[in-house]
Amino acid sequence: ARRAARVAQGVVLRPPPPRLDGLGVAAAQLSADRGASVGGDLYEAVGTEHGVRVVMGDVRGHGLDALGTVAAVLGSFREAAHDEARLDGVLRRLERALARHLRERARAAHPSAGGTADLDHPVAEEFVTVLLLEIGRGGALGVLNCGHPWPYRLTGTAVEPLTRAEPLPPLGPFPLPADLAPHRCEPLRPAESLVLFTDGAEDAR
């Protein structure tokens, strides 16, 4: 079962291409919990006509339920990143996809549908932290953050958070605000790097 779960996760979390529109890209996933066969991390980087767009997120919990939520969010991002001209449009698409997925999960788990509802972990309490990043021409940086750790910017030997702005709440428990504009950061310059990560990197020893 663990082997099948790892294969499924490998299909959902595809390795990014090494280069995207002049940017070097690399990703890795390692569960901090040795007993967890499938984690809730999600990431993707795609080149679009709007710039390189990146999503990094973390689904509450782990296992096949978490993997289903990862697949729903990533599937929405892979379409919305190309379709939506604005980054806030991408985030709203992710919010709708997550809400739809959780409604379907709740219906499937209800006893009337032949499922067994888990009262200790109700679907209503599910959430996903999401960081959306857009790197445009000249390294212009726009970011939307829903409860996720901020990336770090590496410049030579200096390491600092991309920004110290207050993030929005995670997707799921609360609706997105009506006024939603990406946070603009200092442009990404040649030889600089951005390191995106999930909170498991902070929690693990």
Side-chain angles (χ1 to χ4, degrees):
R2 283 195 293 268
R3 187 160 55 247
R6 284 194 295 268
V7 170
Q9 187 172 37
V11 172
V12 173
L13 289 180
R14 303 181 303 210
R19 301 286 294 180
L20 276 174
D21 294 348
L23 297 172
V25 185
Q29 193 273 345
L30 177 66
S31 176
D33 182 359
R34 291 183 180 180
S37 57
V38 177
D41 297 344
L42 63 96
Y43 55 83
E44 182 77 278
V46 295
T48 76
E49 62 180 294
H50 316 292
V52 173
R53 287 177 165 173
V54 181
V55 64
M56 170 72 71
D58 191 4
V59 173
R60 176 183 180 273
H62 52 74
L64 292 180
D65 281 343
L67 184 58
T69 305
V70 167
V73 174
L74 281 181
S76 178
F77 172 78
R78 286 164 180 158
E79 288 192 5
H82 292 279
D83 295 344
E84 299 292 335
R86 292 167 50 92
L87 201 59
D88 54 302
V90 177
L91 186 58
R92 292 193 189 280
R93 289 270 293 270
L94 299 190
E95 181 188 43
R96 292 196 295 270
L98 175 63
R100 184 168 55 248
H101 169 73
L102 293 180
R103 284 195 303 269
E104 292 170 354
R105 245 182 70 187
R107 282 197 295 266
H110 196 276
S112 65
T116 55
D118 184 351
L119 300 180
D120 293 329
H121 298 89
V123 172
E125 295 183 2
E126 294 296 322
F127 64 85
V128 182
T129 68
V130 172
L131 178 81
L132 281 179
L133 188 70
E134 181 180 275
I135 307 171
R137 292 184 178 180
L141 274 176
V143 61
L144 284 168
N145 188 350
C146 293
H148 201 78
W150 286 111
Y152 284 99
R153 184 195 297 261
L154 279 61
T155 306
T157 58
V159 179
E160 59 182 16
L162 184 61
T163 178
R164 299 185 188 277
E166 189 71 21
L168 297 166
L171 289 183
F174 308 101
L176 289 172
D179 185 16
L180 187 62
H183 183 76
R184 297 297 170 186
C185 304
E186 287 293 318
L188 184 66
R189 299 178 179 85
E192 287 186 339
S193 300
L194 293 177
V195 177
L196 287 67
F197 56 96
T198 65
D199 58 4
E202 294 179 320
D203 296 342
R205 292 185 178 273

